[in-house]
Amino acid sequence: EPEVTQTPSHQVTQMGQEVILRCVPISNHLYFYWYRQILGQKVEFLVSFYNNEISEKSEIFDDQFSVERPDGSNFTLKIRSTKLEDSAMYFCASQNRGFRETQYFGPGTRLLVL
Amino acid sequence: GESVGLHLPTLSVQEGDNSIINCAYSNSASDYFIWYKQESGKGPQFIIDIRSNMDKRQGQRVTVLLNKTVKHLSLQIAATQPGDSAVYFCAENPGGTSYGKLTFGQGTILTVHP
């Protein structure tokens, strides 16, 4: 069964450093998302991406965040200058035909900012 | 602001019992609802969804009920098994111009005792 994959599974970085989190969505999916989950809290929407542009973003997704689909298979989330409060689990999700269809989530990347 | 929330943060049941997990939502414009299961260290796993033009939908051992009058969503799991132990999240798509953004509830921890 096709699934969303994410790398790395864990990432430790120093405050102020740049990180890139990578996702490979399900191959025929057209809509892509990043969510995050701070430990013990609910999953929060960050950004949606369709047709090579951002469809919607949350207040969390400030100028330090960017997304890219560089090669037609990968979908990346970049944090330019990490802060302590960026420590969280980051989930990528993809979706097939439209915004009211099932979103399938990857296993997540656990980011720890020291 | 509008949000999706859960009535019960924890639920403990015996193996073989039926489980009911509840969720209240406040956005009357929401038109798509999903239940996700999250096991420790993993991403949310799709269980079942329902659109606002339905009030009940059944899957394998799971049933989702939607009561739009009181803005309430429930997940029923029949013959609960130890493998069902996880955190269960309801999520809503607010509709309108929200594209695919999902708003998640806080989560209910389901523990199934053998």
Side-chain angles (χ1 to χ4, degrees):
Chain A
E1 183 176 322
E3 57 183 18
V4 177
T5 59
Q6 290 185 244
T7 55
S9 57
H10 295 79
Q11 173 97 42
V12 180
T13 190
Q14 296 291 322
M15 189 171 56
Q17 294 297 303
E18 174 183 287
V19 295
I20 298 176
L21 309 183
R22 302 182 192 278
C23 168
V24 178
I26 295 173
S27 63
N28 60 341
H29 285 192
L30 302 174
Y31 304 82
F32 313 108
Y33 303 84
W34 283 101
Y35 292 83
R36 80 172 186 189
Q37 186 179 31
I38 294 171
L39 186 64
Q41 299 187 21
K42 63 184 180 180
V43 177
E44 301 175 287
F45 168 80
L46 292 178
V47 65
S48 59
F49 190 87
Y50 168 68
N51 199 25
N52 283 318
E53 60 182 23
I54 290 174
S55 305
E56 186 176 11
K57 58 184 180 180
S58 71
E59 293 177 354
I60 303 167
F61 195 90
D62 61 21
D63 292 345
Q64 294 301 312
F65 290 85
S66 63
V67 289
E68 192 177 32
R69 188 159 161 78
D71 57 12
S73 62
N74 291 283
F75 179 50
T76 62
L77 174 69
K78 181 193 290 186
I79 309 175
R80 266 180 273 280
S81 178
T82 50
K83 303 187 284 288
L84 296 176
E85 55 265 37
D86 293 329
S87 295
M89 195 77 162
Y90 288 81
F91 295 107
C92 172
S94 72
Q95 187 179 46
N96 189 1
R97 295 182 302 274
F99 290 123
R100 303 292 184 269
E101 301 296 328
T102 304
Q103 289 183 30
Y104 294 92
F105 282 74
T109 293
R110 183 169 296 283
L111 176 65
L112 178 60
V113 183
L114 303 177
Chain B
E2 294 181 319
S3 63
V4 175
L6 292 169
H7 293 160
L8 300 174
T10 62
L11 178 64
S12 292
V13 300
Q14 292 297 125
E15 182 177 1
D17 287 352
N18 297 330
S19 302
I20 300 176
I21 301 171
N22 296 300
C23 176
Y25 66 95
S26 56
N27 186 347
S28 56
S30 292
D31 59 2
Y32 179 56
F33 304 87
I34 314 98
W35 282 100
Y36 284 95
K37 171 185 179 183
Q38 187 177 29
E39 296 173 287
S40 181
K42 297 184 178 180
Q45 177 187 355
F46 171 83
I47 301 173
I48 192 168
D49 59 2
I50 189 167
R51 299 185 187 282
S52 59
N53 60 351
M54 303 171 69
D55 53 19
K56 180 179 180 180
R57 191 165 187 221
Q58 288 185 292
Q60 187 177 10
R61 284 202 303 119
V62 294
T63 301
V64 56
L65 299 177
L66 175 63
N67 185 332
K68 295 182 286 295
T69 303
V70 295
K71 290 184 248 178
H72 184 267
L73 192 67
S74 68
L75 176 70
Q76 300 178 357
I77 305 174
T80 318
Q81 301 167 359
D84 294 328
S85 295
V87 180
Y88 289 80
F89 293 94
C90 62
E92 62 172 330
N93 184 302
T97 59
S98 70
Y99 298 98
K101 168 188 173 182
L102 293 179
T103 300
F104 281 77
Q106 291 291 343
T108 292
I109 300 171
L110 174 66
T111 303
V112 183
H113 301 283

